[in-house]
Amino acid sequence: MVRVTSLTERRHGSSPSNNSNNVATSRSLTRRHGVVEGGRSGGGLWSRQSLALLGAGILVGYVVLPVLLVEMDIEKAMQGLPKLEKQSVKANPYPIAESSNPYLRADQRTLETTIAKITTEAEKRLLEDRDVLSKQSLPTSTTPYVMKTAYLPDHHRKKILVTGGSGFVGSHLVDKLMMEGHEVIVVDNFFTGQKKNIAHWLHHPNFSLIVHDVTEPIQLEVDQIYHLACPASPPHYQYNPVKTIKTSVMGTLNMLGLAKRVHARILLSSTSEIYGDPEVSPQPESYWGHVNTIGPRACYDEGKRVAETMMYSYQKQNGLDIRVARIFNTFGPRMHPNDGRVVSNFIIEALQNKDMTIYGDGKQTRSFQYVSDLVDGLHALMNNDYTQPVNLGNPSEWTIAEFAEHVQALTKSSSQIIKLPKSTDDPQQRRPDIQTAKRELDWEPKVSVDEGLKKTIEYFAAVLKEAGEIIPTGPGAAKPEA
């Protein structure tokens, strides 16, 4: 009997007789590799060997190989370090990759040499500029001239604190101390002081500025303390009378505590206002004064009187090295244009051809000293052995009406001089007796009122040019304008 073979059987080379054997063999192989029919596995889709190989590949590819590459880079960098150390200072820090073209190599080397030369010259110029800046001030719009600083060896150079150092008088004192070569620390809260007054020293290595209110304690190491911090013009110190008292009392107390701790000499800038509306003229240091303790000016007058009392109490109880300067009316560049004082108001009004205002009949008198004379007096007192109060002022006495006319003439102003009601408790006369300063300090004013006024008028003309317009401050309490 003839058997017909199916197409499938012929294609696979199988026959019915060996089908059973093929199936058996297939099942045997399947069980051997852990795979069952239908593609399901009792141990998963991958064998143990496959998973192990896969894990090893991941470990090598993502962990071992990157670590090796990093180590190779570090090794190359370490090999390059000795070469960097041996390089000349003049070597170009940004070399250009050398071209593979031999005709371009010479040009590249020339370019690298030029860059290295320019870099070296720039570094040299930078060092020279830094050296120059450590020996002088920088000109600014407020201080448009250069001041040279002396070099002092360490055993002669002092660390000097100036409270209120960004104010009118304080900034000029800072100039003198910096030019002498000392290290100067300015502490100021900028209530009436202005940063532009000391901007020309901000770059200097001997100068430091600390924005701080003296009514709060401060810890510093200094040799001398010039305690000038306190609003000095009537409108400003009347604006916040309680704060004015705190500044005079608590501020002085904190500075005395600092001086005691570091054994520093301290100078208090007191005022002629402690004499009040005097019944004696000129006023000597022995005059006890005539002061209204509850008037609008008392916050300043009495605050300074208490400050003086504390100075001498610390001297008697703790042996503190103290100095007290009683400062009379002072004027000059860097006066606050809105401080409401006679000199600044008259000049600002005259330069703008506005009415020049006199409060009262104009017969009250004042004595005006130029700021450089005052600074010389403060410096002389600090570095002298005299410990009693000293008047610092110009005995030249003017009536307010005479002074207004003089400013009007110097400015060639078309302003009209007008008179308004008198201010409360405004002193009727003010003239210092400076015999003590002459005898003990060998000091007296050198700059005439005329010479000082010309410099001050020039300064305020520049301020007006920049500001456009300035509205003078009246006699009442007023917050300082920026």
Side-chain angles (χ1 to χ4, degrees):
M1 184 177 65
V2 179
R3 181 176 179 274
V4 180
T5 305
S6 68
L7 179 61
T8 302
E9 289 174 349
R10 285 198 300 269
R11 181 178 301 167
H12 293 285
S14 61
S15 64
S17 61
N18 58 9
N19 279 345
S20 59
N21 292 334
N22 290 340
V23 171
T25 302
S26 174
R27 288 176 179 173
S28 174
L29 290 171
T30 299
R31 281 193 296 269
R32 186 182 302 169
H33 293 288
V35 181
V36 298
E37 290 177 334
R40 291 185 302 273
S41 169
L45 294 176
W46 302 93
S47 65
R48 296 175 187 174
Q49 294 88 340
S50 299
L51 291 174
L53 288 172
L54 179 62
I58 292 172
L59 181 65
V60 171
Y62 288 93
V63 179
V64 178
L65 186 58
V67 170
L68 290 175
L69 291 174
V70 169
E71 288 182 351
M72 288 171 65
D73 288 340
I74 293 174
E75 186 177 355
K76 289 180 181 179
M78 294 296 289
Q79 291 174 355
L81 284 178
K83 294 181 181 180
L84 289 174
E85 292 173 356
K86 295 177 182 178
Q87 281 182 346
S88 169
V89 177
K90 295 183 179 180
N92 178 17
Y94 308 105
I96 300 173
E98 190 171 289
S99 173
S100 59
N101 188 335
Y103 297 103
L104 296 178
R105 291 177 185 173
D107 291 339
Q108 287 182 340
R109 292 193 188 99
T110 302
L111 181 59
E112 285 188 356
T113 303
T114 303
I115 293 174
K117 184 178 180 181
I118 293 172
T119 303
T120 303
E121 289 177 353
E123 291 172 350
K124 183 179 178 181
R125 194 177 302 113
L126 181 61
L127 291 173
E128 291 174 350
D129 290 345
R130 186 170 62 181
D131 183 59
V132 170
L133 293 176
S134 68
K135 297 177 180 178
Q136 67 177 46
S137 67
L138 283 177
T140 65
S141 59
T142 303
T143 311
Y145 47 87
V146 171
M147 289 171 276
K148 300 289 185 179
T149 55
Y151 171 77
L152 288 177
D154 290 344
H155 60 284
H156 285 156
R157 186 170 59 250
K158 295 182 176 70
K159 292 181 180 178
I160 302 175
L161 169 63
V162 181
T163 68
S166 70
F168 160 48
V169 174
S171 62
H172 286 280
L173 176 61
V174 167
D175 290 346
K176 185 176 183 68
L177 299 174
M178 286 294 294
M179 286 189 287
E180 287 184 341
H182 298 294
E183 293 182 28
V184 179
I185 303 170
V186 167
V187 169
D188 208 306
N189 68 350
F190 295 115
F191 178 65
T192 57
Q194 295 178 301
K195 193 173 183 179
K196 65 181 181 180
N197 289 341
I198 53 172
H200 52 289
W201 292 120
L202 293 176
H203 70 283
H204 202 284
N206 284 359
F207 180 82
S208 300
L209 170 64
I210 301 174
V211 180
H212 180 82
D213 194 319
V214 293
T215 60
E216 299 293 335
I218 189 170
Q219 301 297 320
L220 296 168
E221 295 294 330
V222 294
D223 302 305
Q224 292 181 347
I225 301 171
Y226 287 88
H227 181 37
L228 277 61
C230 190
S233 78
H236 292 170
Y237 66 61
Q238 291 176 35
Y239 173 75
N240 189 342
V242 173
K243 183 60 181 291
T244 299
I245 295 171
K246 284 184 176 180
T247 302
S248 292
V249 178
M250 295 175 62
T252 302
L253 188 63
N254 287 329
M255 290 303 108
L256 285 166
L258 174 61
K260 177 185 173 183
R261 184 178 67 82
V262 300
H263 305 289
R265 178 177 293 180
I266 179 171
L267 182 150
L268 170 69
S269 64
S270 187
T271 173
S272 61
E273 293 293 320
I274 69 159
Y275 299 127
D277 189 3
E279 298 173 328
V280 173
S281 187
Q283 296 87 51
E285 290 86 353
S286 58
Y287 179 56
W288 290 0
H290 178 230
V291 180
N292 177 4
T293 61
I294 59 173
R297 303 170 75 102
C299 60
Y300 183 67
D301 303 351
E302 295 301 304
K304 288 295 186 179
R305 289 164 74 98
V306 172
E308 284 194 15
T309 301
M310 289 194 297
M311 292 284 286
Y312 287 99
S313 296
Y314 264 78
Q315 182 195 46
K316 292 173 184 176
Q317 183 172 329
N318 301 296
L320 211 61
D321 196 6
I322 67 166
R323 305 290 185 270
V324 174
R326 291 176 178 168
I327 300 172
F328 283 69
N329 294 70
T330 307
F331 69 99
R334 301 182 198 160
M335 290 184 77
H336 200 296
N338 296 108
D339 67 4
R341 288 188 271 198
V342 172
V343 178
S344 53
N345 265 14
F346 282 173
I347 293 176
I348 289 295
E349 290 167 339
L351 288 175
Q352 298 180 99
N353 295 313
K354 295 182 177 181
D355 290 341
M356 298 174 67
T357 52
I358 294 176
Y359 298 95
D361 59 11
K363 294 179 181 179
Q364 63 268 47
T365 66
R366 296 293 183 271
S367 298
F368 303 102
Q369 70 177 331
Y370 190 64
V371 65
S372 63
D373 284 332
L374 172 60
V375 167
D376 288 344
L378 293 172
H379 185 267
L381 178 58
M382 173 64 90
N383 297 285
N384 191 279
D385 293 331
Y386 190 73
T387 61
Q388 292 301 301
V390 178
N391 288 338
L392 295 177
N394 191 333
S396 176
E397 190 174 17
W398 299 68
T399 67
I400 296 301
E402 290 172 343
F403 193 74
E405 292 170 359
H406 195 60
V407 171
Q408 184 186 45
L410 287 176
T411 56
K412 299 178 182 178
S413 174
S414 60
S415 299
Q416 299 296 313
I417 298 175
I418 62 173
K419 296 178 181 178
L420 298 178
K422 173 189 171 183
S423 303
T424 305
D425 290 344
D426 186 35
Q428 291 305 294
Q429 55 184 349
R430 184 77 79 232
R431 183 187 177 196
D433 181 333
I434 62 170
Q435 294 305 311
T436 301
K438 287 182 177 181
R439 182 183 68 251
E440 300 294 338
L441 310 180
D442 191 26
W443 175 91
E444 62 181 322
K446 298 177 181 177
V447 181
S448 68
V449 172
D450 272 7
E451 183 182 350
L453 279 175
K454 289 175 183 177
K455 294 179 180 179
T456 309
I457 289 168
E458 182 182 352
Y459 169 77
F460 276 119
V463 172
L464 270 171
K465 184 177 180 181
E466 184 178 347
E469 182 187 14
I470 296 176
I471 300 174
T473 302
K479 184 177 181 180
E481 299 291 336

